[in-house]
């Protein structure tokens, strides 16, 4: 019997490339994630949030054309997926910078070339860009609904283009050959671009013959480049795999191309939302908060109230911050109702905070539910609804936090969490934040605590932080008694044009004073006309400056008492349009996993306002990583498209890299983006086509050429939690078997992930002579015929894990994991055939397979085998092997076996190998 000690080169590089595009983020929610959702159903629906980057008042109903565009796009998507997917709720926001991170689609004014990022849905600020004058039209020359579905092909299904090659040649390659998947067909691939061969575009590529036609497209060439084989992959197998893996839904791959509109489509639900901030600050007042913790928490919450605005001094429409106060110990309470932060309301809210006292247990779930009830009680949602939750301990009474999260997610409320001290349940707070699209912050001391409240307010308002000077154990910022310490802060042209800058100083004890000197050398007095706000607190002081001049601002900190440690933060108004949005792919990691850090950088072109904001390439992005506030390392994030850095595409304004934590704790990534020569890339030329002749958009359109971006510096941070490693537990959840095909669903039901070194095999046994009973009973030993999948560690999937706790993977003929070279599958499986499946089925060097699981560690019952399942009669042959593209990997002659040992290959520096088989 041959061994399955096989080099994983071909399948490894295929999977790396596929998952660069598909899973540069994680299956679960991520910090700052967008509001868009893929919902499993009948049919599946895609909810999207749309932000109009220009003022459509007074009636904020942009025009019926956009509702028509999205309705027709939904019909086209429904048709192309054979009635399996359509658009659901379309949330529309008007001229609202607060929605920048959450919006799925940004609509710019004027004409331009649309674009979208593969793997965008659910990732922080990864947008689809459309243009009002071009893409809202549904006429023969401007088929806006087709453009929308094409971009959703990138954004939701993570497909690449099929109208250009990997070198960027559009419609014809360098030799004059047409670039398209289906030539001369009116129902050609939606990932083509409306050129002379495929003006209508109603379907996704399906047939094996289309793989040949697609061979010179970007989509196939990217795969071929990494595989180093003639093989490629077309749309439908990729879509099926993406939807199951990323969204947990299961689509059926069509057997034939069907362009007839199926029945059952429903019109999307359009909702229009006000641009406003609605926040509830929710404080832990349990007994462990007694003393300095609660006093500092009160000061931080009062800082949040001080910063809250009754209007906005920028040139954009005034926006009122509506804030309420809640608290919790054994029982939660509403301490101040949600109210506009104008006039006496600020004083009343601060008085309510000041009146809180500590005592009792910690009911985090109750605190969340009370804050949510306050928001729900306000009626219709607004653009930015948030809960700021502080805790210093473990949830130990009342409502479980997990029971409240579904309702929070359903309302699209963002939760920002702050953990205080070493006893905090950091993993719980981090997961609450990441699940709801917020961020988690860890405060080791009082000064950091009130500083975090200030940062969260700026994040809620989407104000970009220019600089933070902070005191740490390794680099303390100290001002001596009776002395001063000075710094220079550079405000850029975007801050000046945006209309605001906030200077915020916080300190431990004593009394400090903040002095500002403008670039023209005049000193700021709190009565000056350009001072929008000046507040001096017990341990903080802030200035909010209107229309601050670009240039060097001198900042002086003076001690009127003893030597004191301090922090200084300076923020630019959100309306400047410069955004730096960093995140990880999840909130909690097990030790042994790599943390995949992303940062999206966006800004308007030089001289433009925030409404022209787009992704910026060629920016220097670095991160300082601290463990429990002690600096550990500095590393660079890259926008180079390399799988080594987990970066999905080069020059797209999204910068990525991996960090390998060495111990458990709170890891904070302080990300700084410095732009000196950045630019905004061009969009896609897919919006205009007349008859059979391609008409290019005029070059004077908004984004037809690269646009330079003025210099700026911005920073932001996020925190994740690393916990001790735990073991996984793999099972076969189900086998779906008919005469024409088999699908196997595997699941990790254990508390820990399958780590990178734990690749494993899955075997299917078709009518075996002897059913499998344990590890190394591979299908060849048991008689009959069988199928094999190799589940590998993928560096761009969840930081390099193979399977997360609770994750399922659907395995089918066309899935990237399928090993045709090791399988023997008949064209027809007779009805009544008994079928078994085993997960983690083989490893010649162990008695537990490639993964040590929970039940194997404790000597429990072996649970990796499922069956028998009896194949069902469907009255059809295996048309997939006749009409569709199969297999996805090369033949067995392109693999090697070496001396009954595990064989691995280093592909671009990434080593991945499956275990040896007997």
């Amino acid at each position: 019997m041959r061994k399955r000690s096989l080099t994983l080169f071909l399948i490894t590089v295929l999977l790396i490339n596929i998952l660069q595009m598909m899973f540069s983020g994680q299956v679960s929610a991520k910090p700052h994630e967008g509001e868009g959702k893929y919902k499993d159903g009948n049919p599946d629906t895609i909810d999207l949030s749309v932000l109009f980057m220009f003022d459509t008042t007074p009636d904020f109903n942009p025009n019926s054309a956009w509702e028509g565009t999205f309705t027709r796009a939904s019909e086209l998507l429904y048709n192309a997926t054979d009635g399996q997917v359509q658009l659901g709720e379309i949330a529309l926001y008007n001229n609202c910078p607060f929605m920048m991170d959450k919006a799925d689609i940004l609509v710019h004014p004027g004409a331009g070339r649309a674009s979208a990022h593969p793997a965008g849905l659910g990732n922080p600020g990864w947008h689809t860009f459309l243009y009002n004058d071009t893409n809202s039209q549904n006429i023969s020359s401007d088929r806006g609904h087709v453009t929308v579905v094409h971009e959703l092909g990138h954004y939701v299904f993570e497909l690449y283009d099929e109208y250009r090659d990997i070198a960027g040649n559009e419609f014809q390659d360098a030799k004059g050959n047409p670039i398209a998947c289906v030539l001369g067909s009116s129902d050609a691939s939606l990932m083509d671009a409306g050129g002379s061969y495929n003006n209508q575009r109603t379907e996704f590529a399906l047939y094996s013959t289309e793989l040949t036609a697609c061979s010179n497209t970007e989509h196939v060439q990217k795969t071929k480049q990494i595989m180093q084989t003639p093989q490629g992959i077309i749309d439908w197998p990729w879509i099926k795999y993406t939807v199951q893996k990323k969204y947990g839904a299961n689509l059926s791959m069509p057997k034939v191309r069907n362009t007839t509109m199926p029945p059952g489509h429903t019109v999307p639900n359009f909702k229009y939302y006000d641009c406003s901030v609605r926040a509830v600050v929710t404080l832990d007042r349990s007994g462990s908060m007694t003393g300095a913790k609660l006093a500092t928490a009160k000061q931080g919450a009062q800082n949040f109230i001080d910063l809250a605005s009754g209007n906005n001094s920028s040139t954009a429409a005034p926006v009122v911050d509506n804030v309420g106060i809640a608290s919790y110990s054994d029982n939660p309470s509403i301490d101040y109702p949600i109210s506009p932060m104008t006039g006496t309301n600020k004083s009343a809210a601060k008085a309510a905070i000041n009146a809180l006292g500590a005592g009792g247990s910690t009911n985090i779930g109750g605190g969340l539910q009370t804050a949510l009830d306050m928001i729900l009680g306000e009626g219709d949602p607004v653009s930015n609804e948030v809960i700021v939750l502080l805790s210093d301990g473990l949830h130990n009474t009342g409502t479980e936090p997990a029971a409240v999260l579904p309702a929070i997610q359903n309302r699209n409320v963002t939760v920002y969490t702050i953990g205080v001290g070493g006893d905090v349940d950091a993993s719980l707070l981090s997961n609450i934040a990441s699940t709801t699209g917020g961020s988690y912050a860890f405060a080791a001391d009082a000064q950091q605590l009130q500083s975090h409240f200030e940062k969260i307010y700026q994040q809620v308002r989407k104000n970009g932080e220019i600089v933070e000077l902070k005191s740490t154990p390794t680099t303390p910022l100290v001002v001596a008694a009776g002395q001063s310490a000075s710094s220079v802060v550079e405000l850029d042209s975007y801050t000046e044009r945006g209309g605001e800058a906030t200077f915020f100083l916080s300190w431990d004890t004593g009394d400090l004073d903040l002095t500002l000197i403008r670039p023209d050398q005049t000193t700021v007095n709190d009565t000056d006309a350009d001072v929008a706000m000046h507040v001096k607190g017990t341990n903080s002081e802030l200035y909010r400056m209107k229309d601050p001049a670009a240039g060097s601002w001198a900042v002086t900190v003076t001690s009127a008492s003893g030597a004191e440690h301090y922090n200084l933060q300076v923020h630019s108004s959100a309306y400047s349009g410069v955004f730096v949005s960093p995140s990880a792919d999840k909130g909690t990691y097990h030790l042994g996993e790599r943390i995949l850090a992303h940062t999206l950088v966006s800004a308007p072109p030089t001289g433009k306002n925030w409404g022209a904001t787009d992704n910026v390439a060629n920016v220097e992005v670095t991160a300082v990583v601290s463990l429990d506030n002690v600096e550990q390392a500095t590393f660079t994030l890259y926008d180079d498209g390399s799988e080594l850095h987990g970066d999905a595409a080069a020059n797209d304004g999204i910068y990525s890299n991996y960090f390998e934590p060495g111990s458990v704790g709170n890891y904070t990534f302080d990300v700084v983006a410095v732009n000196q020569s950045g630019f905004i890339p061009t969009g896609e030329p897919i919006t205009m086509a007349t008859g059979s002749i391609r008409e290019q958009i005029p070059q004077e359109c908004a984004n037809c050429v690269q646009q330079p971006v003025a210099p700026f510096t911005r920073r932001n941070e996020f925190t994740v939690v690393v916990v001790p490693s735990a073991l996984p537990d793999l099972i076969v959840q189900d086998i779906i078997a008919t005469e024409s095909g088999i699908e196997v669903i595997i699941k990790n039901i254990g508390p820990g992930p399958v780590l990178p070194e734990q690749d494993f095999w899955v075997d299917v046994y078709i009518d075996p002579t002897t059913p499998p009973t344990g590890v190394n009973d591979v299908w060849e030993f048991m008689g009959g015929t069988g199928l094999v999948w190799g589940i590998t560690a993928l560096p761009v999937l969840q930081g390099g894990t193979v399977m997360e706790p609770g994750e399922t993977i659907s395995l089918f003929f066309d899935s990237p994991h399928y090993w045709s070279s090791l399988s023997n599958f008949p064209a027809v499986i007779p009805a009544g055939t008994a079928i078994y499946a085993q997960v983690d089925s083989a490893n010649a060097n162990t008695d537990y397979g490639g993964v040590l699981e929970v039940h194997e560690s404790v000597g429990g019952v072996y649970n990796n085998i499922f069956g028998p399942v009896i194949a069902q009669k469907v009255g059809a042959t295996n048309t997939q092997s006749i009409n569709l593209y199969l297999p996805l990997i090369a033949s067995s002659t392109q693999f090697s076996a070496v001396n009954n040992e595990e064989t691995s290959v280093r592909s671009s520096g990434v080593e991945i190998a499956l275990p040896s088989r007997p």
Side-chain angles (χ1 to χ4, degrees), residues 704-735:
C704 289
V705 294
Q706 288 186 2
Q707 302 169 86
V709 175
F712 62 80
T713 298
R714 293 292 187 276
R715 64 164 304 283
N716 206 337
E717 66 181 41
F718 66 92
T719 300
V720 298
V721 179
V722 177
V723 299
S725 58
L727 293 179
D729 199 1
L730 299 170
I731 64 167
V732 177
Q733 189 176 53
D734 200 8
I735 302 172

Side-chain angles (χ1 to χ4, degrees), residues 64 77 89 139 158 180 372 379 417 421 432 450 468 487 516 596 610 620 679 694 803 841 864 897 917:
S64 59
L77 180 63
E89 179 175 304
I139 56 179
E158 294 148 0
L372 176 62
T417 59
I432 289 172
Q450 62 172 321
E468 179 185 27
S487 303
L516 304 179
L596 178 55
W610 87 271
E620 179 182 330
F679 61 87
R694 171 72 189 169
M803 289 187 73
S841 55
N864 292 37
R917 290 175 64 103

Side-chain angles (χ1 to χ4, degrees), residues 35 93 96 98-99 102 274-279 382-386 412 414 416 459-462:
E35 284 194 342
Y93 300 87
C96 186
F98 309 153
M99 287 300 300
K102 293 184 176 182
D274 291 333
C275 185
S276 182
V277 173
R278 183 178 288 159
V382 295
S383 64
N384 209 11
E385 296 185 325
V386 304
N412 282 324
T414 303
Y416 297 87
Q459 290 180 12
V460 169
R461 273 279 185 161
K462 296 297 176 283

Side-chain angles (χ1 to χ4, degrees), residues 543-598:
Y543 278 94
R544 179 176 289 163
M545 304 300 300
K546 295 187 293 185
D547 303 319
S552 301
W553 286 65
V555 181
T556 301
V557 178
T558 304
S559 174
S561 55
E564 304 297 346
H565 294 83
Y566 67 91
N567 285 352
L568 173 71
Q569 296 168 288
V570 181
H571 292 265
S572 172
S573 163
Y575 295 94
S576 69
V578 180
F579 302 91
V580 172
S581 302
S583 68
D585 47 353
K586 55 185 175 179
T588 300
Y589 292 79
H590 288 85
L591 192 62
E593 295 183 74
R594 293 188 299 168
I595 299 169
L596 178 55
H598 295 297

Side-chain angles (χ1 to χ4, degrees), residues 404-422:
V404 188
L405 291 180
I408 290 176
Q409 291 176 289
N410 188 59
R411 177 74 176 200
N412 282 324
V413 173
T414 303
V415 183
Y416 297 87
T417 59
I418 305 173
V420 185

Side-chain angles (χ1 to χ4, degrees), residues 468-480:
E468 179 185 27
L469 304 175
K470 59 184 178 180
S471 189
T472 69
T474 54
T475 57
L477 295 179
V478 181
V479 58

Side-chain angles (χ1 to χ4, degrees), residues 384-540:
N384 209 11
E385 296 185 325
V386 304
I387 297 171
V388 182
L389 177 79
L390 177 139
S391 177
D392 78 328
L394 305 175
H395 172 81
N396 53 27
T397 190
T399 304
E400 287 296 328
V404 188
L405 291 180
I408 290 176
Q409 291 176 289
N410 188 59
R411 177 74 176 200
N412 282 324
V413 173
T414 303
V415 183
Y416 297 87
T417 59
I418 305 173
V420 185
D423 296 329
V424 70
D425 190 340
S427 181
L428 172 63
L429 295 184
S430 180
N431 286 330
I432 289 172
S434 65
T435 300
T436 60
S439 62
Y440 161 69
F442 172 70
D445 55 42
Q447 184 186 122
Q448 290 177 341
L449 179 55
Q450 62 172 321
S451 178
H452 285 320
F453 275 99
E454 196 275 343
K455 290 178 183 178
I456 288 173
Y457 176 81
Q458 304 296 352
Q459 290 180 12
V460 169
R461 273 279 185 161
K462 296 297 176 283
N463 294 346
E465 187 166 274
I466 298 172
V467 67
E468 179 185 27
L469 304 175
K470 59 184 178 180
S471 189
T472 69
T474 54
T475 57
L477 295 179
V478 181
V479 58
Q483 300 296 312
S484 298
S486 296
S487 303
V488 175
V489 175
E490 296 291 336
L491 300 189
D492 52 55
S493 60
Y494 290 109
T495 301
E496 180 178 50
R497 189 162 52 253
E500 280 186 2
T502 300
F503 295 77
F504 179 82
L505 174 71
S506 62
W507 59 88
D508 287 336
T509 58
D511 185 14
L512 301 187
D513 290 312
L514 175 64
T515 302
L516 304 179
I517 299 178
R518 304 177 182 87
D520 64 4
Q521 303 305 305
T522 58
T523 300
V524 174
N525 297 302
D526 57 6
T527 57
D528 290 345
D530 61 346
V531 177
M533 180 186 299
H534 175 241
V535 179
K536 179 70 179 288
T538 304
N539 298 100
S540 65

Side-chain angles (χ1 to χ4, degrees), residues 96-108:
C96 186
F98 309 153
M99 287 300 300
M100 276 297 297
D101 282 342
K102 293 184 176 182
D104 300 289
I105 297 175
L106 304 184
V107 180
H108 289 297

